[in-house]
Amino acid sequence: MDDTVMENLTCESNDQMEVMTFKRCEQKTYKNSSHMVGVFEVLQSLRKDKVLCDIRIETDDGTIIFGHKVVLISVSTYFREIFIDFNESNIDLINIRELDSTVLQLLINYIYTGEIIITKGNVKVLLAAANLLQIDYVKNVCSEFLQTQLDASNCLSIKAFADLYDCMELSTSSQTYIKNRFLEVVNYDEFLSLTSVEVIKLISCNDIIVPLEEKVFECVIHWLKHELDSRKDFLPELMEHVRLPLISKQYLLEKVVDEPLLKSSPKCKDYINEALQFHLLKYLQPFTVSQTIRSTPRQSIGFQKVILMLYFYSRKSSVTYWYDNIWQPAPTMSKWFEEGCLTVINDQFVLAMGSVRLVPSCQRVKMLDISSQSPSWIPMMDMLVNRKYFGVGSLDNCVYAIGGCDGDTNIVLNSAEVFDTNTNKWKMVTSNMSTKRCYHGVGVLNNLLYVVGGYDGNVCLNTVECYDPCLDTWTPVAAMSECRFECGVGVLDGVLYVIGGYNNKSECLKSVEAYTPSSGVWTTIADMHFCRQCFGVVVLNGLLHVIGGCIDKVVVNSIEIYNPKTNTWSLKTLSKNVGHIYSGVVVNRPSHFKTYDD
């Protein structure tokens, strides 16, 4: 092509560039998503062909593996420290005697490809090798793989392995599994192979799930007898962590007292005497609270509180434990507590109070110790006054029965009486309410007992008064905007809530009022979904729960849950229809209460 033609083409090109215009003057970055994959595929091919490799790695069996330093240091801190930090960039051969060639080859392949094959057979050596070479991703996925393999036969060894290589998530998962499946774990050889220190660490946990402390005792004896000659000296140390006072008295006398191993140990005899004395004290003083760790019930993993519901079905009263539609049976009641109610002390001691059907002149009181390994309803001293339709509140280890109707004359009462758990006796409260009341609600707030609404024998009430036990005085407070009887009362975050009930027109209500002592004013909050009367109210997990009840004698089979932060109610339908639920309390989760995940 001659110079004249070239000159003409150049001129034309310049002319085109001058007329070319753009809408924007922005730049745009393009990224080839397959670029890095392609690069590493080439590098892997070069490594396999030993091309441009600048490092050889020798393993314990003499195998030589080739590689590129720049690739190895991009993934492994171990190699980075050797080639850069330790100023060994000129070496072309290193020895890694801690690893066999198969595992090292898997890890080098991972560095070049990003893929790793994990099996039951190689997972532990692979994790150990990844830990040595500081390849975090492989270590983490090996840990995840081991979590999927946890079972009662291997969880103890996996926990020990996780601790050895500082795999915190795997260690936590293993520990939780061990505690949740304690009764299964102790049946396998891994448990029998533990050291005395490891056994003590396990049985001293406060949150192992074990329905009966007898099982802890049995596993300790089983472990000892597995290698009796070398282990018998550890018996006193082990028995220190078995909570003998929680074992039933019958089992103590039949199995523990006569155990030959314990008879030969003075220290173990002391533990047995402590347990027997605890049972005697509980018999004489049912409200005795645990004073030592050995007499303190273990706390299950997960949620710590449940609701104990009192309900009426098929002409009898019954109780059941409930949490998020998980139901567990509670000890049966032998009597029908007509118009009865529950109250609780220290989330542990539940009192059921009310008149017994067909024995109208008798006001029964029974107590259930939730912490007991063999819980049952224990008769307590009856109330002094034959009350029905009364209100109940617990304050400072005392239970107050307030107002109601005389069971013989049906006269509405303004008196109150108090049960002192220290003396196990009832006594009358000296001062009386200013107004006679029955079908009222009671709430405890700021160490005061608030009595709200009710019925005085003629009209429905909206008045409220509170009792100060320290001063033994009743004081009127602001009246509610609505008259209410058979309403419910709950206290949450310093606010007193009065819920539902009937008004003076005998209309069932779904409205709710809230009272704050600092302001002395009642305010209306969001309505419930349903009208209710004669129901239970409890506070659980920072939310107000309204349980069961009726609408004009029709059972309401649901729970409404109030969130004060959003001023909203959520509705939860109960998965069982147990009948008319008319009272409830929040208690410590019993040891036998299981969740779907337990």
Side-chain angles (χ1 to χ4, degrees):
M1 186 178 294
D2 59 28
D3 292 341
T4 302
V5 175
M6 282 296 297
E7 185 177 345
N8 291 334
L9 286 173
T10 302
C11 291
E12 290 177 4
S13 176
N14 289 336
D15 291 342
Q16 290 174 359
M17 290 180 65
E18 288 176 2
V19 299
M20 190 180 296
T21 59
F22 298 93
K23 293 182 178 179
R24 299 184 182 88
C25 296
E26 297 176 356
Q27 67 178 22
K28 184 172 182 180
T29 302
Y30 294 87
K31 185 173 181 179
N32 183 350
S33 60
S34 62
H35 175 77
M36 292 302 296
V37 175
V39 169
F40 273 90
E41 284 178 351
V42 172
L43 289 171
Q44 173 73 327
S45 178
L46 292 173
R47 186 185 73 81
K48 289 182 177 180
D49 295 337
K50 304 175 186 177
V51 176
L52 297 178
C53 293
D54 54 359
I55 188 65
R56 292 170 297 147
I57 306 169
E58 185 176 0
T59 61
D60 61 342
D61 59 1
T63 300
I64 300 293
I65 299 174
F66 288 80
H68 305 91
K69 292 179 184 177
V70 68
V71 177
L72 299 182
I73 68 174
S74 68
V75 176
S76 168
T77 305
Y78 175 87
F79 288 122
R80 189 179 307 126
E81 290 174 348
I82 291 177
F83 300 141
I84 299 177
D85 297 348
F86 297 159
N87 199 25
E88 299 287 351
S89 58
N90 294 324
I91 63 171
D92 60 2
L93 175 66
I94 58 173
N95 296 302
I96 305 181
R97 300 297 184 185
E98 300 93 330
L99 305 180
D100 67 51
S101 58
T102 302
V103 172
L104 182 58
Q105 188 67 63
L106 283 172
L107 290 174
I108 297 299
N109 282 336
Y110 163 76
I111 291 174
Y112 279 81
T113 65
E115 295 180 359
I116 191 77
I117 298 175
I118 303 174
T119 67
K120 291 182 180 180
N122 71 12
V123 61
K124 286 191 174 182
V125 291
L126 201 54
L127 188 151
N131 183 73
L132 174 67
L133 299 184
Q134 300 176 60
I135 304 176
D136 292 339
Y137 177 82
V138 175
K139 180 180 177 181
N140 291 337
V141 294
C142 285
S143 177
E144 291 176 11
F145 183 88
L146 282 171
Q147 286 189 51
T148 67
Q149 303 302 308
L150 281 170
D151 63 37
S153 68
N154 65 20
C155 54
L156 290 169
S157 62
I158 290 179
K159 170 70 167 61
F161 183 79
D163 292 340
L164 180 63
Y165 291 102
D166 198 28
C167 302
M168 298 306 298
E169 188 172 342
L170 178 60
S171 177
T172 301
S173 298
S174 303
Q175 181 77 344
T176 300
Y177 189 97
I178 292 165
K179 292 176 179 179
N180 276 330
R181 303 291 195 278
F182 176 81
L183 292 182
E184 300 172 51
V185 172
V186 297
N187 289 325
Y188 286 91
D189 290 341
E190 280 195 356
F191 173 74
L192 296 176
S193 299
L194 294 178
T195 66
S196 62
V197 173
E198 291 169 333
V199 174
I200 288 172
K201 186 176 180 180
L202 177 56
I203 66 173
S204 63
C205 289
N206 193 46
D207 54 358
I208 55 173
I209 293 184
V210 54
L212 298 171
E213 193 68 20
E214 286 89 330
K215 300 298 182 181
V216 180
F217 171 77
E218 289 169 1
C219 81
V220 166
I221 297 300
H222 183 45
W223 180 87
L224 279 165
K225 291 182 177 179
H226 183 66
E227 294 179 8
L228 184 58
D229 291 340
S230 61
R231 294 177 173 180
K232 59 185 178 182
D233 292 339
F234 298 123
L235 179 60
E237 296 175 63
L238 291 163
M239 291 305 300
E240 180 182 356
H241 301 282
V242 178
R243 306 185 182 189
L244 289 181
L246 302 183
I247 290 176
S248 69
K249 183 179 179 181
Q250 180 179 356
Y251 189 95
L252 276 172
L253 296 174
E254 293 179 359
K255 302 288 186 179
V256 181
V257 172
D258 293 330
E259 170 56 51
L261 290 173
L262 301 183
K263 282 184 175 181
S264 60
S265 169
K267 190 66 177 176
C268 292
K269 287 182 178 179
D270 291 341
Y271 294 141
I272 293 173
N273 289 334
E274 176 192 40
L276 293 172
Q277 289 173 4
F278 181 80
H279 278 276
L280 177 61
L281 185 60
K282 289 286 285 186
Y283 175 76
L284 298 174
Q285 299 179 354
F287 293 92
T288 298
V289 178
S290 303
Q291 299 297 325
T292 67
I293 188 64
R294 283 188 294 278
S295 57
T296 302
R298 301 179 190 270
Q299 295 297 314
S300 301
I301 296 172
F303 60 85
Q304 301 300 321
K305 305 292 182 182
V306 298
I307 299 174
L308 181 66
M309 300 175 175
L310 175 63
Y311 64 92
F312 174 73
Y313 185 74
S314 295
R315 303 186 64 80
K316 69 176 292 189
S317 294
S318 301
V319 284
T320 185
Y321 295 113
W322 182 93
Y323 184 90
D324 195 21
N325 268 337
I326 304 169
W327 303 79
Q328 294 284 334
T332 56
M333 290 177 152
S334 58
K335 304 291 184 182
W336 172 12
F337 283 83
E338 188 174 17
E339 300 293 339
C341 54
L342 301 178
T343 190
V344 64
I345 298 173
N346 296 327
D347 295 340
Q348 176 181 339
F349 304 103
V350 179
L351 276 77
M353 307 165 61
S355 59
V356 178
R357 186 170 175 81
L358 303 180
V359 192
S361 62
C362 187
Q363 289 301 303
R364 295 297 188 200
V365 180
K366 290 196 172 186
M367 187 272 284
L368 176 69
D369 183 355
I370 300 298
S371 70
S372 172
Q373 292 288 333
S374 302
S376 61
W377 290 97
I378 301 171
M380 306 301 292
M381 180 178 285
D382 291 344
M383 286 184 280
L384 301 175
V385 177
N386 180 19
R387 302 172 189 270
K388 60 181 180 180
Y389 317 134
F390 55 94
V392 175
S394 296
L395 177 61
D396 293 334
N397 293 327
C398 291
V399 176
Y400 293 81
I402 304 167
C405 290
D406 187 287
D408 298 318
T409 64
N410 279 331
I411 295 175
V412 182
L413 305 170
N414 64 350
S415 64
E417 54 190 294
V418 57
F419 179 79
D420 189 338
T421 60
N422 296 314
T423 62
N424 290 334
K425 292 182 179 180
W426 289 91
K427 67 176 182 180
M428 296 300 298
V429 172
T430 305
S431 60
N432 291 331
M433 292 185 291
S434 60
T435 303
K436 297 179 180 181
R437 301 172 190 268
C438 61
Y439 298 113
H440 50 283
V442 176
V444 178
L445 177 60
N446 298 335
N447 295 317
L448 300 174
L449 286 155
Y450 285 80
V451 181
V452 298
Y455 179 74
D456 68 359
N458 295 304
V459 295
C460 177
L461 304 171
N462 68 344
T463 57
V464 182
E465 50 190 311
C466 71
Y467 176 70
D468 187 338
C470 295
L471 301 176
D472 187 30
T473 56
W474 290 91
T475 306
V477 298
M480 297 181 290
S481 62
E482 182 97 51
C483 296
R484 300 174 187 267
F485 70 98
E486 290 192 351
C487 55
V489 175
V491 175
L492 175 61
D493 297 333
V495 179
L496 183 78
Y497 295 89
V498 181
I499 306 158
Y502 282 119
N503 63 13
N504 53 5
K505 299 178 183 178
S506 295
E507 297 170 334
C508 194
L509 305 171
K510 59 181 177 181
S511 61
V512 184
E513 299 183 53
Y515 176 79
T516 305
S518 58
S519 67
V521 176
W522 288 92
T523 57
T524 301
I525 65 169
D527 287 352
M528 294 185 293
H529 293 84
F530 292 112
C531 303
R532 296 173 192 259
Q533 50 90 207
C534 197
F535 50 87
V537 181
V538 300
V539 172
L540 180 65
N541 298 331
L543 301 172
L544 200 66
H545 290 61
V546 174
I547 313 165
C550 293
I551 304 175
D552 298 328
K553 297 184 179 181
V554 177
V555 170
V556 182
N557 193 45
S558 63
I559 289 181
E560 301 208 34
I561 303 171
Y562 178 71
N563 186 337
K565 295 179 180 179
T566 60
N567 188 30
T568 56
W569 291 89
S570 59
L571 185 67
K572 182 184 289 289
T573 300
L574 295 174
S575 58
K576 290 183 181 180
N577 186 359
V578 294
H580 176 197
I581 301 168
Y582 55 95
S583 187
V585 290
V586 170
V587 297
N588 294 328
R589 174 184 173 181
S591 59
H592 71 272
F593 194 106
K594 297 291 185 292
T595 70
Y596 297 123
D597 297 326
D598 287 348

